[in-house]
Amino acid sequence: GILTGRHNNIMSTPNEEYHFPVGGNDLLEERPVIVGSGPAGLFSGYLLALNGFRPIILERGEDALSRTQKVTAFWREGKLDTECNVQFGEGGAGTFSDGKLTTSVKDPGNRIKFIKETFVKFGAPEEILYDQKPHIGTDILTGILVRMRTAIEEMGGEYRFRSRLTDFETDGGALSCLIINDREKLPARVCILAPGHSARDTFSMLQRNRVPMEAKAFAAGIRIEHPQKMIDFAQYGREAGGILPPASYKLTHTCADGRGVYSFCMCPGGYVVNASSEEGCLTVNGMSYSGRNSANANSALIVTVSPADYIPFLESEEDSPLAGIAFQRTLEKHAFDAASGAVPQILFGDLKKGVRSTSWGNFTSCTKGRSAFCDFRTILPGFIRDDICSGIDAFGQKIAGFNRPDAIISALEARSSSPVRILRDENLVSSVDGLYPCGEGAGYAGGIISAAMDGMRCAEAISEKYLNLFPKVYKDDLL
């Protein structure tokens, strides 16, 4: 058979299952609360619900269907709801993305398998179980979120939308109460804090309460578009179709100054979307529907920036763990002002020349939201702009046409990861007993899968410490 003898690229793997730990002894009188319904909050809530904890999930935005309507209206009319947008609402920022299910995180506990099988159970295509680069797509992901929420509610869990965490209270150093929307007090001894990377007001609240945090490196840059057919021919030697899906790429380059520039969240057949969440600030992201059938491929091209890089650009944030947020906001304000709230765009050839573009080249942009040509010298710091140009030229040696002068560049991509980390101990607890920082926003994940895995770890830590409140529901459903 195929497994007789040696094969460098073929191996057998045991069909192992994920096992949720049970066995805590501490009595938990209040139901656990989860702040945020992105992948971290979703999977921590699902596991806790399966095991009788009846979690309460707080989401500052709206449910997936209402959120989709709000976001579509924003792209069409430009009216931003700062509490319900591409960043905030059911499913988190990943809802309006390509729905990629890849990660480089090691998985000795089979959590990734559980995550993918759960997605399939609630409506994802089965090929995500075996595809090398699985993705779901925004259109399918929305329905999955609704069905998972329904299952959590049927198991005794509860979702509360338009419920923003604005403060908390402690008793003897332990969490005792959450303040919702500045007025409602919700008793809580256990809270999984999974607010996402854009919850800047939440980070400010934590700083006010002296919860230890630290500034961390993150990445900033642009989105670049090419015709999808060009990427297909460069990668396949032919146009996609039949068994060949729209082609993707993953590129890295080390610049002369030692910084790395790399592609991130590549969206075959996708759209560049206005992903803003604050008035007067603008950021972009990439999104694909499940069919990946737009005319263009797009990807973030981003440069890693450390505190040493961005603190010199700030006036009063040198000693603050929120210095990276201040830098993000500064760049996003420049992007908003450059095109009066439209997505700033420029052709690559003009970016290198330092001039404003006036017309498209041989193809046009696939953008969700209003866009306009503008001068990028007012948006990007010189070191980011120079490194991106260097990277694009280098990538042109790997993918024919990547550095074509009419490649379309949109700004600003600055929400690829959190610029802050909420510190936690080996039991995943912060300095406030009962508060579990979790997921991408807390600085412990980067993408749907890794965030969901971190949510599972937090749910496991709670189960290992506390008794189940109620008998398990749907016990046979725990894969």
Side-chain angles (χ1 to χ4, degrees):
I2 195 168
L3 291 180
T4 59
R6 288 184 178 273
H7 298 273
N8 291 334
N9 298 314
I10 302 174
M11 69 182 72
S12 62
T13 57
N15 186 25
E16 297 177 348
E17 303 293 342
Y18 167 73
H19 297 286
F20 186 74
V22 178
N25 295 314
D26 290 7
L27 179 64
L28 184 62
E29 296 178 356
E30 294 93 8
R31 295 157 68 184
V33 179
I34 299 166
V35 174
S37 67
L42 177 64
F43 274 85
S44 61
Y46 182 59
L47 282 183
L48 290 176
L50 277 168
N51 284 272
F53 283 92
R54 297 177 61 189
I56 298 172
I57 300 176
L58 305 178
E59 170 55 57
R60 67 190 298 167
E62 296 183 10
D63 67 273
L65 298 180
S66 300
R67 181 187 182 196
T68 299
Q69 295 173 353
K70 282 280 179 72
V71 170
T72 301
F74 168 60
W75 289 335
R76 185 175 58 248
E77 303 164 10
K79 185 177 180 181
L80 176 67
D81 184 335
T82 57
E83 294 298 309
C84 186
N85 45 61
V86 172
Q87 307 296 343
F88 300 140
E90 186 173 16
T95 302
F96 294 93
S97 69
D98 189 59
K100 291 180 180 63
L101 303 180
T102 55
T103 182
S104 59
V105 175
K106 295 188 183 301
D107 183 35
N110 296 296
R111 295 185 184 95
I112 294 176
K113 179 182 179 183
F114 175 80
I115 293 165
K116 291 181 179 179
E117 288 177 344
T118 300
F119 277 136
V120 170
K121 173 182 175 181
F122 288 100
E126 288 193 3
E127 51 259 36
I128 69 169
L129 299 176
Y130 53 81
D131 277 355
Q132 182 187 18
K133 297 180 180 179
H135 83 110
I136 295 179
T138 290
D139 45 340
I140 294 177
L141 192 56
T142 301
I144 293 171
L145 292 170
V146 174
R147 288 186 285 273
M148 286 190 71
R149 170 174 24 110
T150 299
I152 290 171
E153 291 172 336
E154 289 176 347
M155 291 184 283
E158 179 182 352
Y159 273 70
R160 298 186 186 181
F161 295 105
R162 286 288 180 178
S163 297
R164 180 166 59 95
L165 175 67
T166 51
D167 210 345
F168 64 87
E169 296 177 357
T170 60
D171 183 5
L175 183 67
S176 62
C177 181
L178 302 176
I179 311 299
I180 313 302
N181 296 332
D182 291 315
R183 60 181 184 274
E184 178 189 352
K185 287 192 174 185
L186 178 63
R189 283 183 57 200
V190 169
C191 173
I192 295 177
L193 184 62
H197 56 42
S198 296
R200 294 166 173 173
D201 50 358
T202 303
F203 301 133
S204 296
M205 179 271 290
L206 294 173
Q207 185 181 42
R208 187 174 69 247
N209 283 285
R210 299 183 179 179
V211 175
M213 297 180 288
E214 62 183 12
K216 61 182 280 289
F218 66 104
I222 53 90
R223 281 265 157 191
I224 188 166
E225 291 180 83
H226 300 91
Q228 181 62 51
K229 289 183 179 180
M230 187 202 89
I231 302 298
D232 293 342
F233 274 97
Q235 300 293 72
Y236 298 146
R238 51 165 287 189
E239 188 174 338
I243 63 172
L244 292 176
S248 63
Y249 57 79
K250 185 176 182 180
L251 300 166
T252 63
H253 173 68
T254 301
C255 301
D257 60 9
R259 293 189 184 87
V261 57
Y262 58 97
S263 64
F264 175 80
C265 187
M266 191 272 159
C267 298
Y271 297 86
V272 174
V273 304
N274 188 330
S276 303
S277 61
E278 291 185 349
E279 294 286 359
C281 294
L282 188 141
T283 188
V284 296
N285 194 14
M287 183 189 83
S288 294
Y289 296 111
S290 57
R292 288 179 164 176
N293 54 5
S294 88
N296 290 357
N298 78 74
S299 176
L301 293 184
I302 47 183
V303 177
T304 300
V305 291
S306 68
D309 293 317
Y310 56 73
I311 284 177
F313 286 85
L314 307 175
E315 296 179 359
S316 60
E317 301 288 337
E318 291 187 15
D319 298 322
S320 171
L322 306 187
I325 291 176
F327 182 63
Q328 278 182 328
R329 189 175 273 137
T330 297
L331 297 183
E332 290 175 14
K333 286 180 178 178
H334 291 165
F336 182 92
D337 293 341
S340 301
V343 173
Q345 293 189 318
I346 194 171
L347 303 189
F348 175 56
D350 294 328
L351 178 68
K352 292 180 69 174
K353 295 175 185 176
V355 300
R356 178 180 176 275
S357 297
T358 56
S359 63
W360 305 116
N362 291 327
F363 71 108
T364 60
S365 179
C366 293
T367 311
K368 296 285 188 178
R370 188 168 57 93
S371 64
F373 290 124
C374 67
D375 185 350
F376 268 48
R377 289 175 295 181
T378 64
I379 300 174
L380 297 175
F383 75 93
I384 293 179
R385 184 173 63 249
D386 293 345
D387 284 351
I388 286 173
C389 288
S390 173
I392 293 173
D393 277 332
F395 298 153
Q397 303 301 311
K398 301 177 181 179
I399 295 180
F402 198 93
N403 60 339
R404 56 191 286 171
D406 65 347
I408 302 167
I409 290 173
S410 302
L412 173 88
E413 174 87 34
R415 307 277 185 97
S416 60
S417 61
S418 180
V420 62
R421 177 175 288 112
I422 309 170
L423 302 185
R424 67 189 188 188
D425 63 19
E426 65 276 7
N427 297 314
L428 311 187
V429 182
S430 75
S431 62
V432 177
D433 189 20
L435 190 64
Y436 293 75
C438 180
E440 191 165 321
Y444 296 99
I448 291 174
I449 290 290
S450 60
M453 292 173 71
D454 202 53
M456 293 173 69
R457 279 190 286 266
C458 288
E460 292 160 11
I462 291 169
S463 181
E464 289 172 340
K465 182 174 182 179
Y466 296 99
L467 287 167
N468 288 343
L469 297 181
F470 303 95
K472 291 182 185 178
V473 182
Y474 296 167
K475 181 177 180 181
D476 292 340
D477 286 352
L478 188 56
L479 299 173

